[in-house]
Amino acid sequence: MLNAVISAVKQAAKLAINAHYTIDSKGGSANVVTSCDIAIQNLLRTKLLEIIPDSGFLGEESDLVELNAEYIWIIDPIDGTMNFTRGIRDSAISVALHKNGEAVLGVVYNFFTDDVYYAERGKGAFHNGKPIHVSDRPFSDGLLCTAMSLYKKEYAQLCFDIISDLYAKSNDIRRLGACAMELCYIAEGKCDLYFELRVYAWDCAAGELILREAGAHIYRFFAEDFYKKPLPIIAANSEENLAILYETVKKHFEKHNYRG
């Protein structure tokens, strides 16, 4: 099944490569959708339903949500749409498969660079066919991938406070604008730490499985709402580093009275 999913993703990616597209706003200049997002999601839904008939579906660019099936596909047709529209090469198609609420397959494909990351539960994580694993760096030498609650800027100060605290303890920060790619970079040891305040299921579902299979440790705050709303997520290359992230984020949540 994995090969069929990767094939479907690469076929859908052709709709974005050298494509002429339109850009629309989804409620603000920072939140955009292109005609490529829509076309890719529609094609993927068709192809993935051929792989598992009667499966459910959750995609970023659709009001059609089907969560009452044993298997659910979770799709971000272009993670990093703003990057895509500006020719920044950190953009990807993200596809995850959940079975009874548990991730069993994840594929992240950067169509700019032809890099495919993937994992199946219990089988390890891979980048272009080669096994990948998280780094062994301590927190003080870690690169932190993060963001500032772009679509809800009223939470920016909370994010700044957390990031400032974590920056003082780590090596440096990275803000790539594509959650799926950031998680894959942590999975293969390029980066080491992750915090973001508002992550949707389609942003992280594939990357989460790839991370776990690469040896990372992940925690979702308010996890019972995973399919329904954006959640704070932290991830790290080690259990010890995750604990530092958790205590730091929790401290600032309490200070700001943040409850998701």
Side-chain angles (χ1 to χ4, degrees), residues 14-197:
K14 294 177 182 178
L15 298 173
I17 299 170
N18 298 321
H20 297 285
Y21 55 84
T22 58
I23 304 174
D24 292 308
S25 170
K26 296 193 294 183
S29 60
N31 195 2
V32 299
V33 59
T34 72
S35 53
C36 288
D37 291 83
I38 303 299
I40 289 171
Q41 180 166 289
N42 289 341
L43 179 59
L44 280 174
R45 185 172 184 273
T46 298
K47 293 294 183 181
L48 296 174
L49 285 173
E50 291 174 358
I51 296 172
I52 304 180
D54 301 320
S55 52
F57 182 81
L58 176 63
E60 179 175 10
E61 310 303 345
S62 175
D63 293 330
L64 177 62
V65 178
E66 302 159 332
L67 299 177
N68 296 320
E70 179 182 14
Y71 289 94
I72 299 171
W73 298 103
I74 305 174
I75 299 172
D76 193 338
I78 301 181
D79 183 56
T81 300
M82 185 65 75
N83 287 351
F84 170 66
T85 64
R86 300 190 181 209
I88 298 172
R89 295 164 69 87
D90 287 304
S91 301
I93 297 173
S94 176
V95 174
L97 178 63
H98 279 201
K99 179 181 180 182
N100 296 323
E102 296 289 337
V104 295
L105 181 150
V107 174
V108 174
Y109 180 56
N110 184 331
F111 46 83
F112 278 117
T113 62
D114 195 31
D115 284 299
V116 58
Y117 298 83
Y118 57 89
E120 292 180 280
R121 190 174 184 180
K123 297 183 179 181
F126 299 84
H127 174 199
N128 290 343
K130 296 181 179 180
I132 56 175
H133 198 273
V134 294
S135 75
D136 60 359
R137 297 185 188 95
F139 203 100
S140 60
D141 196 28
L143 288 183
L144 170 71
C145 292
T146 191
M148 279 69 76
S149 186
L150 179 62
Y151 307 138
K152 288 283 186 178
K153 291 190 176 180
E154 60 265 35
Y155 297 128
Q157 189 59 56
L158 168 59
C159 293
F160 290 144
D161 289 350
I162 293 170
I163 293 166
S164 178
D165 202 340
L166 294 173
Y167 174 66
K169 300 171 183 176
S170 62
N171 182 310
D172 204 351
I173 62 173
R174 294 292 182 269
R175 164 71 168 110
L176 304 181
C179 171
M181 291 305 307
E182 291 172 328
L183 298 181
C184 289
Y185 289 164
I186 295 170
E188 66 178 338
K190 291 179 177 178
C191 300
D192 316 281
L193 312 165
Y194 185 84
F195 158 72
E196 191 166 348
L197 186 69

